[in-house]
């Protein structure tokens, strides 16, 4: 768990504070971390779940300051629902990722989507927003969700990575909205950057982030290799692969693991390496 309590803000950098939401779970680690960027006039990144105490904590931490932008990385329900309460309280515009109507077709593996999210302005890759002493640049990173954005704080060479790169676990990639090929391309995109630190929505800051991202990409390649080996033995349904690939992993996460295996299989299918008959997956002939 992070060394942080809910309700209070913690300074990580002169321009960056975080407020932990009280929503710990098997998917959110110690909870969603809302970031406050700037001083005096500031942006709030990922206001989090619509929990009154959390919105109060954000308002308390910024008392005497002005929130000029409410910014979202993506629209999972542990990230964007508090945009409404925060906008109502401050009048600040909601600026960030695109809204998403697509529903997950699988079991409730990861967080569900916030279908009530209504941005005042959608940001595209490379766009900037700024305030006194801070500049935030958008880095589009589809994969975890199709609308996922990371945000670079140029003055700190820091990147707010949302759920694309987390400090405690790999991301769930849940089709059809989650896309493994997009996710891998978005990891490559981060590896080509020279950020000094990542501030993920869940877990501690990540130092030496390029090395960390290389590790994440390697981990996915390993998973892909495992899948191909298992299918070389015999054709299989996804639960049989999860059982062999996620030995020792919390069974509460097996549903989510199955979604990530499906994401790999769809990617391999697109590349002509595997095929399916109903629930059974096999190597392509
Ligand atoms: Zn998410």
């Amino acid at each position: 768990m992070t060394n942080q309590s809910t309700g209070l803000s913690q300074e990580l950098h002169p321009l960056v504070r975080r407020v932990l939401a009280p929503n710990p779970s098997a998917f959110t680690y110690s909870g969603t971390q809302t970031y406050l960027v700037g001083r005096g006039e500031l942006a709030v990144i990922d206001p989090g779940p619509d929990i009154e105490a959390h919105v109060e904590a954000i308002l308390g931490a910024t008392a005497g300051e002005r929130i000029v932008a409410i910014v979202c990385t993506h629209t999972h329900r542990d990230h964007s629902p508090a945009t409404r309460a925060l906008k109502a309280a401050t009048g600040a515009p909601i600026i960030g990722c695109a809204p998403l109507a697509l529903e997950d077709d699988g079991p409730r593996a990861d967080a569900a989507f916030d279908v009530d999210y209504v941005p005042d302005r959608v940001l595209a890759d490379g766009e900037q927003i700024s305030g006194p002493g801070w500049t935030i640049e958008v880095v589009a990173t589809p994969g975890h969700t199709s609308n996922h954005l990371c945000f670079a704080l140029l003055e700190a060479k820091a990147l707010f990575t949302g759920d694309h790169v987390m400090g405690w676990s790999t991301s769930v990639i849940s089709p059809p909205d989650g896309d493994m090929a997009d996710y891998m391309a978005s990891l490559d995109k981060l590896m080509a950057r020279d950020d000094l630190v990542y501030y993920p929505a869940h877990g501690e800051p990540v130092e030496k982030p390029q090395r960390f991202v290389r590790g994440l990409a390697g981990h996915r390649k390993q998973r892909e290799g495992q899948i191909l080996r298992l299918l070389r033995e015999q054709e299989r349904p996804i639960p049989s692969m999860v059982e062999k690939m996620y030995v020792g992993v919390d069974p509460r996460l097996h549903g989510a693991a199955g979604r990530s295996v499906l994401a790999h299989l769809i990617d391999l299918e697109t590349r002509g390496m595997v095929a399916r008959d109903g629930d059974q997956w096999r190597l392509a002939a």
Side-chain angles (χ1 to χ4, degrees):
M1 290 284 153
T2 50
N3 61 340
Q4 187 189 10
S5 43
T6 61
L8 297 168
S9 75
Q10 184 183 41
E11 184 174 297
L12 301 172
H13 176 278
L15 286 172
V16 180
R17 288 165 283 171
R18 66 175 172 182
V19 183
L20 176 66
N23 63 333
S25 78
F27 293 103
T28 62
Y29 193 48
S30 45
T32 304
Q33 296 172 124
T34 297
Y35 290 99
L36 312 175
V37 179
R39 290 279 175 179
E41 283 186 25
L42 49 100
V44 175
I45 296 180
D46 280 350
D50 192 9
I51 297 173
E52 204 181 324
H54 183 56
V55 174
E56 289 301 323
I58 295 169
L59 293 173
T62 58
E65 301 177 280
R66 199 159 74 88
I67 295 172
V68 296
I70 302 165
V71 185
C72 285
T73 59
H74 66 301
T75 45
H76 275 150
R77 291 197 61 83
D78 56 326
H79 290 258
S80 58
T83 51
R84 270 90 71 185
L86 207 55
K87 181 180 174 178
T90 64
I94 299 168
I95 300 172
C97 66
L100 199 61
L102 186 63
E103 263 301 330
D104 199 315
D105 73 347
R108 182 69 64 79
D110 188 33
F113 288 103
D114 170 17
V115 293
D116 299 320
Y117 168 80
V118 182
D120 294 293
R121 186 154 77 88
V122 172
L123 294 173
D125 187 50
E127 269 194 82
Q128 292 187 347
I129 58 172
S130 58
W134 56 266
T135 314
I136 288 173
E137 187 170 290
V138 179
V139 182
T141 47
H144 173 66
T145 60
S146 60
N147 64 351
H148 197 287
L149 304 177
C150 291
F151 297 102
L153 174 58
L154 302 186
E155 289 78 3
K157 282 204 157 216
L159 190 71
F160 298 92
T161 52
D163 284 0
H164 176 51
V165 174
M166 300 196 283
W168 72 289
S169 163
T170 55
S171 301
V172 174
I173 312 296
S174 183
D177 189 55
D179 185 296
M180 190 60 73
D182 285 352
Y183 170 74
M184 295 298 279
S186 292
L187 289 183
D188 284 344
K189 189 171 183 176
L190 295 204
M191 270 187 270
R193 298 176 51 86
D194 60 354
D195 305 295
L196 296 177
V197 61
Y198 290 172
Y199 296 122
H202 309 279
E204 287 301 315
V206 176
E207 317 248 343
K208 297 200 173 70
Q210 290 77 19
R211 198 167 77 182
F212 187 76
V213 171
R214 205 173 307 124
L216 290 177
H219 171 74
R220 298 293 177 165
K221 283 282 164 206
Q222 231 170 358
R223 287 293 191 209
E224 184 184 286
Q226 273 182 302
I227 289 169
L228 292 171
R229 270 197 305 281
L230 286 169
L231 295 183
R232 205 167 294 137
E233 289 172 13
Q234 60 178 93
E235 61 172 47
R236 297 174 185 275
I238 287 172
S240 143
M241 292 184 244
V242 169
E243 200 179 296
K244 296 207 176 287
M245 293 169 63
Y246 292 84
V247 177
V249 169
D250 185 341
R252 288 178 298 171
L253 297 173
H254 277 189
R259 302 306 294 173
S260 288
V261 170
L262 174 62
H264 275 297
L265 289 166
I266 290 171
D267 180 32
L268 288 166
E269 187 182 37
T270 305
R271 288 151 56 197
M273 296 170 75
V274 305
R276 60 177 135 183
D277 303 302
D279 287 344
Q280 295 289 328
W281 291 85
R282 57 179 169 77
L283 290 185

